[in-house]
Amino acid sequence: MSEYGFEEIETRWQERWRKGRTFEVTEDPSRPKFYCLEMLPYPSGDIHVGHVRNYCITDVVARYKRMRGFNVLHPIGWDALGLPAENAAIQRGVHPEKWTRDNIASMKRQLQRLGFSYPWSREIATCDASYYHWNQWFFLRMLEKGIAYRAKAPVNWCPKCQTVLANEQAEGGACWRCHSNVEERELDQWFLRITAYQDELLDDMAGLSAWPDRVLLQQRNWIGRSPGAEVDFAVEGGGSIRVFTTRIDTIYGATFVVLAPEHPLVASLTAGAPDRTRAAVARLHAQDRRARQAGQVEKEGVFVDRYAKNPFSGERVPIWVGNFVLMGYGTGAIMAVPAHDQRDLEFARRYQLPVRVVIQPDGGELTGDTLKAAYEGPGRLVASGEFSGLDWEQAKERMAAHAKAQGFGKATVTYRLKDWLISRQRYWGTPIPVVYCDRCGVVGVQDRDLPVLLPKDAPFTGEGGNPLEKVAAFTHVPCPQCGGSARRETDTMDTFVDSSWYFYRYLSPRKTDGPFDSASVRYWFPIDLYVGGIEHAILHLVYSRFWTKVMRDLGLVTFDEPVRRLFPQGMVHRDGEVMSKSKGNTIAPDEVIARYGADTLRLYILFAAPPEMAMEWSETGIAGPHRFLQKVWRLLDRHAETLASEIRKPMPAELPEPAQQLRRRVHQTIQRVTEDVEDRLHLNTAVAALMELVKEIHRLEPEVTEGPGRGALQEALETLVLLLAPFTPHICEELWARLGRRPYVVDRVWPQADPEVAQEETIELGIQVNGKVRGHVRVAPTTGEEEILRLALEEPRVKEHLAGKEIVKSVVVAGRLVSLVAR
Ligand SMILES: [Zn+2]
Ligand SMILES: [Zn+2]
């Protein structure tokens, strides 16, 4: 008897796959394709169990589809640019590129040790100049189309380090290095006009039927399309305030107006106000904008001692400045309707402002003074002048039309989505390929001069701004247009640019005259399955959709959406908390693999929870799957040698009962595992079915080892190895070879269930009517009495004999007969 020596087996098979180029693929029009994608990792230093979970899911599907005859592409790469590498450079004096490449090397080794089925020849790293070259090329095309543009935008600025900080470097308003208070500064920055695609991004969600609703909902909310109206409130003493509202039907209930602290009118409105009013406004203005956006600050406001006129009611309403109003949404000013907006109600109660009900629900009798919570639902208008009595939906239309006719407003749509700010004032990113010339203005770098390379010799001190600014050879360049002396842009691109199109580059990773090969795209796209964390529901997954639409408008692809099916896997928890590097509770797979092997780790992760649900990591939980694999090993070990030497005979038509039972279970298991993997990705129940199969083989083993049942044992063991192979490929390759089977399991055909064999065994019961057998019924041995009786009464001959009579007694004798007494 041999031991399950997982380490030797796993490394040996990994070596064979590598040498045999087993997972390398090319386009093959004769076969159906399957593009199986996982989110490419950031090379932070170590693969952790969260990554492993993501990649185990895709690896099972990739291997399964391959066995089903698909031409499978399952590539991997590295999202290798970004802040942590630059932070490491500042803190430890190691160049970002060295830090990144070292991390990639060690993570690659970890992935290879897990036996994932990657075509390594297609590996890409976004920090390769041959990759970011094409970021620059795309940027230039967008610049030509007006999709890329430059505008002022605020950044976090550390006055002590004299540098721009990323949001994550300025958490809580303090610099991550020197803890100084972070200031806000306006800088010229580059944007991509994603808002030009906002309606399309919303409308095309209708076609994303294989995306989870929760992802689409998050995207919809992020884009935040709100139909509403804009209305002007005239300010006493001159000028007017334009407000945006989604509820113009409630305008008679508007008892005050609130401006965002950064609203451009605030300065003139407070010009004559007392110092303490101006100071209070300045304090609101200084509050952390991100915290305000997230609703994490207490609602506060300042009355500026000015009034406006409600254009519908003519009523005089006070003007406030409030921290809960944001400049980035709508017009940066709102009409406050406390009776019908919870946020406004909280503010009104705090400052004792009037609350007036103007919408009554069916049968409702709300009053402003006693209102505990704002009523935001449907109803009819009351106390609304000529509009009283209208239904709210009808009122929205009529009142917007009225505002337009009177010249003080109109129906409009507003979006929460903002254009994508891609400028980063940092080194470790894709240089934005433009040059500033005093004579020609902003000039794009010529295509033939791409890529604009990152200079190797930039200083990393963390002070004095972007390191690129200090490299004279980088910044001083001739103007591409007039040849005069010019200055190169030092901003680099947001790394979300890199991840917006990387899945196209896998198709032709070494192509030098374009980002990808169109024929390859036609063959492989769309991505059939994309697995990754739910935290990427917005940003990455919206940017990727946007990028594809831009590419389509540039004539590079012919479709609108890159991903057919999206599957967000659940997180990995440990001791009830999400496993993450920042919490320091991650598990490195290396130790687990050393102790139990890669197959055990894979099986444990897949078995522990349904893939879309959170899984709790447990040190003890891993022992079960390990024991299971040892059991499988010993089971095959007992029979492999003799089975390998036997010639496989056709299955005899008549088999002894235990062999029939075994075959039934084998074919039922094929059905279950296939369904679980194929549609639902219920990989955990697929594993459970395989565990049950092993139990059944054990139970029947003594009766099928010798004699005519032996064929069933052989079939059971071979099927077990094939079905288990996508989950635990190394041990299965080894066992397959020991069974004397060739070629590799990965190239075997997935087993087909024979529905007849899989069918549950049935027994025949006679049906007696008044003591005489009048018919028969076939049922499974487990069928209940009630069901047997129902079936018996449906038998035509039995019906005949019961016609016109009443059943006075019925007995089911288990396994034998049904007896009916009728008069
Ligand atoms: Zn600082
Ligand atoms: Zn010029």
Side-chain angles (χ1 to χ4, degrees):
M1 195 166 134
S2 68
E3 280 295 301
Y4 170 35
F6 52 83
E7 179 159 9
E8 188 275 326
I9 293 169
E10 289 175 357
T11 47
R12 179 158 44 80
W13 280 100
Q14 284 157 11
E15 186 64 11
R16 275 195 203 173
W17 292 329
R18 196 181 60 75
K19 281 202 181 133
R21 298 172 60 80
T22 304
F23 302 109
E24 300 296 338
V25 284
T26 51
E27 289 92 69
D28 175 0
S30 72
R31 279 192 296 160
K33 64 88 187 179
F34 194 87
Y35 189 173
C36 188
L37 184 68
E38 55 215 29
M39 291 187 184
L40 84 177
Y42 178 78
S44 57
D46 275 305
I47 290 290
H48 59 76
V49 169
H51 293 119
V52 177
R53 190 172 192 206
N54 182 345
Y55 312 153
C56 279
I57 296 166
T58 37
D59 201 52
V60 169
V61 176
R63 287 171 177 274
Y64 162 79
K65 285 287 177 183
R66 181 185 172 116
M67 291 173 81
R68 292 295 301 256
F70 285 81
N71 190 23
V72 176
L73 177 63
H74 177 213
I76 189 81
W78 308 96
D79 190 12
L81 292 166
L83 192 61
E86 198 155 333
N87 287 350
I90 295 166
Q91 287 175 319
R92 291 181 245 163
V94 49
H95 193 277
E97 174 144 23
K98 168 146 179 51
W99 185 86
T100 304
R101 301 272 179 206
D102 287 352
N103 286 347
I104 288 176
S106 74
M107 290 170 79
K108 182 173 177 177
R109 186 189 47 74
Q110 289 176 310
L111 290 181
Q112 287 176 326
R113 187 58 190 83
L114 278 152
F116 294 132
S117 57
Y118 299 133
W120 282 104
S121 75
R122 292 176 186 263
E123 177 187 9
I124 55 173
T126 58
C127 64
D128 296 338
S130 61
Y131 185 83
Y132 67 68
H133 179 154
W134 302 106
N135 286 344
Q136 294 171 340
W137 184 86
F138 280 122
F139 178 91
L140 290 170
R141 301 291 85 76
M142 293 193 205
L143 187 63
E144 288 159 7
K145 287 257 179 187
I147 295 168
Y149 69 94
R150 207 159 161 254
K152 282 213 183 310
V155 293
N156 305 305
W157 176 260
C158 174
K160 182 141 181 276
C161 301
Q162 292 282 301
T163 196
V164 173
L165 300 176
N167 286 344
E168 53 270 42
Q169 290 175 320
E171 264 168 43
C175 170
W176 68 293
R177 274 189 76 233
C178 71
H179 310 291
S180 306
N181 279 341
V182 171
E183 295 171 2
E184 199 169 87
R185 275 206 178 178
E186 294 264 312
L187 284 186
D188 271 322
Q189 309 202 59
W190 286 98
F191 289 85
L192 298 184
R193 208 180 295 280
I194 191 172
T195 55
Y197 289 84
Q198 55 199 6
D199 282 318
E200 202 192 331
L201 286 167
L202 281 172
D203 295 343
D204 286 355
M205 284 187 207
L208 300 179
S209 55
W211 284 45
D213 287 340
R214 60 193 172 130
V215 171
L216 298 180
L217 182 68
Q218 279 194 56
Q219 295 202 353
R220 208 169 278 126
N221 288 341
W222 195 50
I223 296 168
R225 182 179 196 274
S226 327
E230 284 179 2
V231 184
D232 295 328
F233 280 60
V235 177
E236 280 182 11
S240 73
I241 297 169
R242 171 155 289 200
V243 304
F244 171 77
T245 175
T246 58
R247 293 293 306 271
I248 193 174
D249 55 311
T250 65
I251 197 165
Y252 281 83
T255 51
F256 53 102
V257 166
V258 190
L259 273 60
E262 47 284 327
H263 195 289
L265 282 178
V266 169
S268 63
L269 286 169
T270 55
D275 284 350
R276 76 188 146 72
T277 305
R278 287 217 304 276
V281 169
R283 203 173 47 74
L284 294 182
H285 195 276
Q287 280 179 345
D288 185 63
R289 195 178 300 197
R290 272 169 288 131
R292 280 173 53 208
Q293 216 150 11
Q296 289 160 347
V297 293
E298 205 185 334
K299 287 173 196 64
E300 278 186 88
V302 181
F303 173 47
V304 298
D305 211 10
R306 299 285 298 271
Y307 289 86
K309 196 175 93 172
N310 183 325
F312 275 79
S313 64
E315 189 182 4
R316 191 173 188 243
V317 293
I319 301 172
W320 286 68
V321 172
N323 64 354
F324 66 98
V325 181
L326 298 162
M327 201 54 220
Y329 181 75
T331 60
I334 63 151
M335 62 176 210
V337 186
H340 303 294
D341 183 292
Q342 185 58 30
R343 200 185 46 174
D344 297 351
L345 181 64
E346 286 163 24
F347 192 85
R349 293 292 189 225
R350 174 165 185 172
Y351 295 105
Q352 281 105 47
L353 293 159
V355 178
R356 187 177 309 135
V357 170
V358 292
I359 302 284
Q360 285 290 2
D362 265 355
E365 282 186 38
L366 306 174
T367 57
D369 295 342
T370 58
L371 210 57
K372 290 273 186 301
Y375 177 69
E376 296 181 350
R380 277 189 187 282
L381 274 65
V382 295
S384 296
E386 59 185 287
F387 302 97
S388 296
L390 287 179
D391 173 73
W392 69 319
E393 290 292 0
Q394 202 182 9
K396 281 180 192 172
E397 268 173 47
R398 290 251 198 114
M399 293 168 93
H402 175 77
K404 186 165 188 208
Q406 299 293 314
F408 58 73
K410 61 173 196 284
T412 179
V413 178
T414 192
Y415 296 82
R416 188 171 292 122
L417 184 70
K418 298 280 158 282
D419 277 337
W420 177 7
L421 197 174
I422 60 157
S423 278
R424 296 293 180 271
Q425 291 72 35
R426 289 195 292 274
Y427 169 84
W428 195 229
T430 302
I432 292 177
V434 297
V435 166
Y436 301 100
C437 170
D438 287 340
R439 276 198 286 177
C440 315
V442 179
V443 185
V445 172
Q446 301 285 310
D447 281 359
R448 62 165 185 275
D449 294 330
L450 297 182
V452 175
L453 292 170
L454 282 171
K456 303 269 181 197
D457 53 351
F460 300 98
T461 60
E463 288 170 16
N466 183 342
L468 285 173
E469 290 167 7
K470 314 246 175 51
V471 185
F474 181 80
T475 55
H476 299 305
V477 284
C479 167
Q481 212 157 295
C482 70
S485 80
R487 186 177 57 81
R488 191 191 291 287
E489 172 65 85
T490 54
D491 283 359
T492 53
M493 297 182 198
D494 180 6
T495 57
F496 277 104
V497 167
D498 312 341
S499 54
S500 290
W501 70 278
Y502 73 100
F503 36 79
Y504 291 97
R505 186 67 182 169
Y506 284 140
L507 308 193
S508 14
R510 312 291 165 244
K511 192 175 167 69
T512 54
D513 57 352
F516 49 77
D517 179 65
S518 308
S520 303
V521 170
R522 274 197 298 279
Y523 179 79
W524 288 111
F525 269 75
I527 295 160
D528 295 279
L529 175 68
Y530 193 15
V531 180
I534 187 76
E535 67 274 19
H536 297 293
I538 52 166
L539 298 172
H540 168 55
L541 287 170
V542 180
Y543 293 151
S544 299
R545 297 180 57 215
F546 160 68
W547 205 275
T548 289
K549 291 174 194 303
V550 171
M551 283 177 22
R552 177 204 59 201
D553 290 349
L554 291 169
L556 298 168
V557 297
T558 53
F559 45 86
D560 303 319
E561 294 285 342
V563 178
R564 195 183 63 75
R565 181 180 187 187
L566 177 76
F567 187 89
Q569 91 277 5
M571 305 226 185
V572 181
H573 291 189
R574 193 181 176 195
D575 307 322
E577 280 203 274
V578 173
M579 209 183 264
S580 76
K581 203 171 183 190
S582 58
K583 289 212 176 78
N585 63 349
T586 56
I587 297 271
D590 293 20
E591 284 168 43
V592 182
I593 291 171
R595 222 171 133 199
Y596 299 103
D599 280 339
T600 293
L601 176 58
R602 294 169 60 116
L603 193 67
Y604 168 58
I605 284 179
L606 293 164
F607 179 58
E612 72 277 16
M613 307 286 281
M615 79 166 261
E616 173 72 31
W617 179 266
S618 130
E619 312 292 345
T620 49
I622 199 161
H626 191 59
R627 274 198 304 274
F628 170 73
L629 289 183
Q630 283 178 319
K631 228 182 271 176
V632 171
W633 179 265
R634 287 195 299 266
L635 174 65
L636 271 292
D637 196 56
R638 283 198 287 280
H639 301 285
E641 208 177 319
T642 49
L643 287 177
S645 62
E646 284 170 24
I647 295 163
R648 194 167 171 175
K649 287 174 238 136
M651 199 71 72
E654 284 297 317
L655 281 172
E657 180 56 27
Q660 281 184 39
Q661 281 179 33
L662 184 56
R663 291 204 73 206
R664 191 178 309 127
R665 177 53 72 97
V666 165
H667 285 262
Q668 286 173 347
T669 307
I670 297 172
Q671 287 175 331
R672 273 186 62 186
V673 174
T674 306
E675 279 168 26
D676 283 348
V677 179
E678 180 70 48
D679 301 319
R680 296 174 298 187
L681 290 184
H682 283 183
L683 307 182
N684 58 318
T685 54
V687 173
L690 289 164
M691 290 177 169
E692 283 166 31
L693 175 62
V694 169
K695 260 191 216 158
E696 189 72 353
I697 299 173
H698 270 144
R699 189 174 73 80
L700 297 166
E701 192 183 359
E703 302 178 67
V704 293
T705 299
E706 302 296 339
R710 191 160 171 75
L713 177 67
Q714 183 168 28
E715 181 189 48
L717 296 179
E718 287 186 2
T719 306
L720 171 66
V721 171
L722 292 173
L723 295 181
L724 195 56
F727 301 87
T728 58
H730 312 87
I731 187 175
C732 291
E733 288 288 9
E734 184 69 13
L735 294 173
W736 192 250
R738 288 187 180 215
L739 281 167
R741 301 290 173 245
R742 300 286 183 275
Y744 295 170
V745 164
V746 289
D747 292 319
R748 283 292 307 197
V749 175
W750 187 254
Q752 278 275 341
D754 181 338
E756 234 165 81
V757 179
Q759 204 163 48
E760 273 300 332
E761 184 193 10
T762 56
I763 46 173
E764 198 176 59
L765 305 179
I767 310 167
Q768 291 184 348
V769 179
N770 294 336
K772 284 195 177 135
V773 176
R774 301 295 187 187
H776 292 89
V777 64
R778 264 204 170 275
V779 295
T782 51
T783 311
E785 284 194 13
E786 232 172 275
E787 176 68 4
I788 292 172
L789 208 55
R790 192 185 66 77
L791 292 168
L793 294 174
E794 276 177 8
E795 268 302 294
R797 275 199 59 213
V798 174
K799 268 188 180 166
E800 237 170 72
H801 286 274
L802 289 173
K805 294 181 184 152
E806 193 190 337
I807 299 169
V808 292
K809 198 179 168 196
S810 60
V811 178
V812 177
V813 183
R816 285 187 44 215
L817 58 83
V818 181
S819 167
L820 304 168
V821 180
R823 272 185 216 133

